[in-house]
């Protein structure tokens, strides 16, 4: 009689990788990929399907909020040089928030 538990499934342990551009995400699989410039973490499974796990605030002085070169979505970019924050919705539309001291 075998009292040891058995598991018929093999679940690989994902790695954690830091990259500097969103294009580098596609090269990974079975990994949590953190894209540092946009403070976003993705999970890429073994079939290369991409899921956003976390999209945090971005700090970028002098950010061109109209062109949105980082393609921010559902995130806020803080621009302390201009005392503004730019909040982007899921489609990339933005709202400007003043950060001036009162």
């Amino acid at each position: 009689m075998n009292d040891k538990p058995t598991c018929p499934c093999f679940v690989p342990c994902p790695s954690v990788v830091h990259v500097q551009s969103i294009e580098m995400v596609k090269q990974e699989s079975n990994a949590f990929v953190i894209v540092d410039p946009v403070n976003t973490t993705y999970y890429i499974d073994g079939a290369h399907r991409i899921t956003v796990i976390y999209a945090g605030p971005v700090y970028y002085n002098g950010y061109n909020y109209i062109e949105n070169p980082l393609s921010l979505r559902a995130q806020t970019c803080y621009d302390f040089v201009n005392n503004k924050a730019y909040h982007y919705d899921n489609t990339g539309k933005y709202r400007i928030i003043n950060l001036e001291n009162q």
Side-chain angles (χ1 to χ4, degrees):
M1 184 135 144
N2 186 359
D3 292 339
K4 294 182 181 178
T6 60
C7 180
C9 300
F10 171 73
V11 179
C13 182
S15 59
V16 176
V17 180
H18 284 262
V19 297
Q20 294 303 310
S21 72
I22 190 71
E23 290 79 26
M24 298 175 78
V25 169
K26 299 170 188 167
Q27 301 171 9
E28 301 296 332
S29 69
N30 191 37
F32 289 100
V33 180
I34 301 164
V35 182
D36 292 324
V38 293
N39 194 19
T40 303
T41 302
Y42 301 90
Y43 175 70
I44 295 85
D45 68 9
H48 296 279
R49 292 175 292 221
I50 299 172
T51 303
V52 176
I53 301 298
Y54 171 77
V58 175
Y59 300 91
Y60 193 118
N61 287 324
Y63 190 68
N64 185 339
Y65 65 93
I66 295 171
E67 290 185 18
N68 191 12
L70 295 176
S71 299
L72 300 175
R73 299 288 187 269
Q75 288 175 279
T76 302
C77 177
Y78 292 93
D79 180 349
F80 292 118
V81 166
N82 293 308
N83 290 314
K84 306 274 187 214
Y86 316 109
H87 180 75
Y88 294 89
D89 68 11
N90 287 336
T91 66
K93 293 179 183 173
Y94 63 87
R95 175 169 282 183
I96 299 172
I97 304 162
N98 283 322
L99 300 177
E100 296 283 336
N101 291 332
Q102 300 293 328

